[in-house]
Structure formats: structure tokens, C-alpha cells
């Protein structure tokens, strides 16, 4: 799927990061609302005690990166938040959905160095495109369990069963559980 944006719009990628507190999303969206920006895509998450947010926003041209930077500087002053703004070129704002079957890959096991690298390297070497990835520690502090969940687009000719089979060796080497399942897209 390829959804291109309108040429009369300026697009920006905005990253917000800082110590988590109540109101970060509200403060960010307030700045964008008051400027007349439309949030076209966004993702937010907690990373340790840090809050991270990335947004793709649009505004009718002419509109400048400098205006966004100035308004975010005023809003984030003294809050410990950092805001970064990048103007996007026209060819950077076409949404291109993943090609191939989508699958969800879950990895559970004892926390150890290399789980993300080994799993993602195995997938990349087979042409699998990762579209989303999250990790976290769950369980008790005395017995933590590492969780890696990723969404991936399988290349033409690679099935969910093939992806599961290629990760089988890693299950043993890393002493983890790995499951691969098909994600069925929903049409609206």
C-alpha cells in the first residue's frame, strides 16, 4: 500500500524524549493543536523511566521547522524534555505499507546480552523487514524474564512456518521460547 501526502502540506518528524511525567502527550499535542498541525502518525512508549514519542505532523505550506522548534522550546523549557524537529522531503512522506505476509514474533527467556541482535540479524539475513519492535523485562526482580515482541513483513516466498523453522536453532542457542504467528489484517 502506498499513501502519498498532499503536495500543499509541509511534513515534519518530531521526537520528544525525557523523564516520564503526567502530561507529556497533552503538552505536545497542545503545541501542535495551537499551531494548526495535524498528527498523521505517532508512537509513544516508556523506556525505563524515560518517555519517548515520535510523530509525523503536517501543516499547510508555508510553514517552517523553525516555528515548531521555537514553540517546543517554550513548552519544554525547564521540564527536562528534549524536542527534535526534522523537516521531511516529499519523497519521505509516502506511507509504504509492508509487502508480504505480516507476522508476530515473540521471544521469552532469561535476560542476556544478544537476544535482540541474534533474532533481528537472523531475520534481516533472510530479507524479513521489521515493522515494529518492543522489549521489556517482566516478572520479579529476582527472576526477570526478557520479552521481545516484533512485527515483521515476510519477503515473497517465506512463510510463517519457514520463519519459525529458521528461528528454531536460536531457541536452543539462546535458551528462549520463540513463537511466530500470522497477523491477519483487518479491512475497514
Amino acid at each position: 500500500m502506498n499513501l502519498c501526502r498532499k503536495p500543499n502540506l509541509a511534513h515534519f518528524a518530531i521526537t520528544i524524549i525525557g523523564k516520564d511525567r503526567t502530561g507529556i502527550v497533552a503538552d505536545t499535542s497542545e503545541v501542535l493543536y495551537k499551531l494548526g498541525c495535524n498528527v498523521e502518525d505517532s508512537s509513544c512508549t516508556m523506556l525505563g523511566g524515560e518517555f519517548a514519542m515520535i510523530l509525523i505532523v503536517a501543516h499547510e505550506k508555508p510553514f517552517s521547522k523553525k516555528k515548531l522548534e521555537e514553540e517546543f522550546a517554550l513548552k519544554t523549557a525547564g521540564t527536562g524534555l528534549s524536542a527534535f524537529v526534522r523537516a521531511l522531503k516529499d519523497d519521505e512522506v509516502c506511507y509504504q505499507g509492508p509487502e508480504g505476509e505480516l507476522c508476530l514474533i515473540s521471544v521469552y527467556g532469561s535476560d542476556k546480552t544478544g537476544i535482540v541482535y541474534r533474532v533481528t540479524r537472523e531475520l534481516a539475513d533472510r530479507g524479513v523487514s521489521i515493522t515494529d519492535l518492543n522489549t521489556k523485562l517482566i516478572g520479579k526482580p529476582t527472576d526477570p524474564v526478557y520479552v521481545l515482541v516484533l512485527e515483521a513483513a515476510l519477503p515473497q516466498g517465506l512463510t510463517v512456518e519457514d520463519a519459525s523453522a529458521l528461528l528454531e536453532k536460536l531457541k536452543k542457542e539462546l535458551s528462549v521460547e520463540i513463537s511466530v504467528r500470522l497477523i491477519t489484517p483487518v479491512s475497514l
Side-chain angles (χ1 to χ4, degrees):
M1 183 183 351
N2 187 339
L3 299 174
C4 288
R5 309 302 201 253
K6 297 175 185 172
N8 63 325
L9 297 177
H11 287 86
F12 303 89
I14 301 170
T15 304
I16 308 289
I17 190 165
K19 187 78 176 150
D20 186 42
R21 64 169 174 77
T22 302
I24 295 173
V25 175
D27 289 348
T28 300
S29 58
E30 177 185 15
V31 168
L32 298 171
Y33 173 74
K34 286 182 175 179
L35 290 173
C37 293
N38 184 46
V39 177
E40 292 190 352
D41 206 356
S42 66
S43 183
C44 309
T45 193
M46 288 285 301
L47 301 168
E50 296 291 304
F51 183 81
M53 179 180 199
I54 186 165
L55 308 103
I56 303 297
V57 302
H59 193 286
E60 284 191 26
K61 292 179 180 176
F63 190 75
S64 71
K65 171 185 168 186
K66 184 176 172 81
K67 182 66 175 164
L68 280 167
E69 290 172 330
E70 288 170 352
E71 292 301 317
F72 276 111
L74 289 172
K75 187 58 129 177
T76 61
T79 66
L81 288 178
S82 298
F84 304 95
V85 179
R86 184 170 74 89
L88 299 175
K89 298 176 187 152
D90 288 342
D91 65 343
E92 294 178 301
V93 292
C94 284
Y95 171 76
Q96 297 188 16
E99 293 186 18
E101 286 190 302
L102 284 180
C103 67
L104 187 70
I105 301 172
S106 304
V107 180
Y108 294 85
S110 296
D111 188 22
K112 62 178 71 87
T113 302
I115 293 174
V116 174
Y117 166 70
R118 297 285 307 279
V119 171
T120 58
R121 173 51 54 208
E122 191 70 34
L123 295 170
D125 288 349
R126 303 298 189 287
V128 176
S129 178
I130 296 170
T131 58
D132 194 24
L133 182 145
N134 289 286
T135 64
K136 63 178 55 188
L137 283 174
I138 62 171
K140 301 175 186 171
T142 56
D143 191 23
V145 175
Y146 189 77
V147 179
L148 162 64
V149 178
L150 62 88
E151 179 185 279
L154 302 177
Q156 191 73 15
L158 187 70
T159 66
V160 170
E161 293 77 20
D162 296 335
S164 186
L166 75 89
L167 295 171
E168 194 63 34
K169 182 179 173 189
L170 281 182
K171 284 172 71 170
K172 293 180 179 106
E173 290 178 14
L174 297 172
S175 299
V176 296
E177 290 298 318
I178 301 177
S179 67
V180 182
R181 68 178 179 89
L182 185 66
I183 297 174
T184 307
V186 176
S187 297
L188 300 177

